[in-house]
Amino acid sequence: IAISNKGQLIITDMHRKKRLVGVYTVDGRCLRQFDPSHTNEDLHTSTPYYVAVDPFDRILVSDRDNHCVKVFDERGILLQRLGSKEPGDDRIVHPRGLCADSKGNVMICDSGHNRLSVFGPDGHFMQHLLTAEDALACPRDVALNRQSGRLVVAQHNSGADSSFRKIRIYEISKL
């Protein structure tokens, strides 16, 4: 769930046959819904997992199975895709949580690579803000306190050998 700059609720629903993103009033009235998998570049049906809103009121949706983040305007029109399917720094595997800073930079939990990647408001890859070298493992969700500059990252791993859940707080100055 995310809240737009207009106070509207943005909700992803991936548990129905038709996976949608919905825009609602605070009292729960549906304003509109859109299908995030209407692009020709998708290899699979979209899996709209996490959602955020940037300072420009663009809706950011992580698409786990298509390994990208889709950026929509408030009407549900696709504006751009973040992440590449090709090898390189901008490649994302199974994106999860995401957030945007006050400049519109988008931070994405790249759970397949155990890193937090940053893309600029224009959609171009900027950097890997956090990696395993920063003790980051299995990032699932991220939130940014824009006043303090603190980044909160939720980590989760369930494997045959171990299971862990952690919340880590990072001071960011790399942006």
Side-chain angles (χ1 to χ4, degrees):
I1 297 175
I3 300 174
S4 74
N5 296 322
K6 296 177 182 174
Q8 298 167 338
L9 304 175
I10 316 297
I11 302 172
T12 58
D13 185 354
M14 61 171 270
H15 297 290
R16 295 184 185 182
K17 198 171 203 174
K18 188 165 179 98
R19 298 168 176 174
L20 300 172
V21 175
V23 181
Y24 299 86
T25 63
V26 292
D27 61 356
R29 186 171 46 90
C30 181
L31 298 173
R32 65 193 150 281
Q33 292 182 322
F34 61 91
D35 181 352
S37 64
H38 66 282
T39 64
N40 294 332
E41 297 178 32
D42 291 340
L43 299 175
H44 307 282
T45 302
S46 273
T47 309
Y49 224 57
Y50 291 81
V51 64
V53 176
D54 74 6
F56 313 111
D57 245 5
R58 298 182 306 177
I59 300 169
L60 314 167
V61 180
S62 63
D63 186 341
R64 184 188 65 195
D65 292 340
N66 286 301
H67 308 291
C68 67
V69 168
K70 295 177 182 173
V71 181
F72 298 92
D73 69 9
E74 60 184 19
R75 298 166 299 165
I77 306 298
L78 181 68
L79 301 174
Q80 63 188 9
R81 295 167 64 104
L82 307 180
S84 171
K85 297 174 189 165
E86 303 302 320
D89 279 338
D90 63 342
R91 185 172 186 177
I92 301 172
V93 176
H94 298 299
R96 303 281 182 154
L98 64 165
C99 66
D101 69 11
S102 59
K103 298 175 189 172
N105 297 315
V106 180
M107 288 155 261
I108 303 167
C109 289
D110 181 349
S111 64
H113 289 121
N114 292 317
R115 61 191 181 197
L116 188 71
S117 299
V118 181
F119 289 78
D122 61 358
H124 288 92
F125 171 79
M126 292 176 63
Q127 66 179 321
H128 299 302
L129 188 61
L130 298 170
T131 65
E133 292 175 6
D134 301 295
L136 185 68
C138 304
R140 292 300 173 105
D141 206 356
V142 61
L144 174 66
N145 181 323
R146 292 180 184 154
Q147 283 75 36
S148 71
R150 289 191 179 110
L151 195 65
V152 180
V153 181
Q155 300 173 92
H156 176 259
N157 185 29
S158 289
D161 298 333
S162 68
S163 178
F164 68 85
R165 290 184 173 96
K166 294 181 184 175
I167 301 292
R168 295 190 69 109
I169 299 174
Y170 298 89
E171 299 286 336
I172 60 167
S173 58
K174 297 181 185 180
L175 285 180

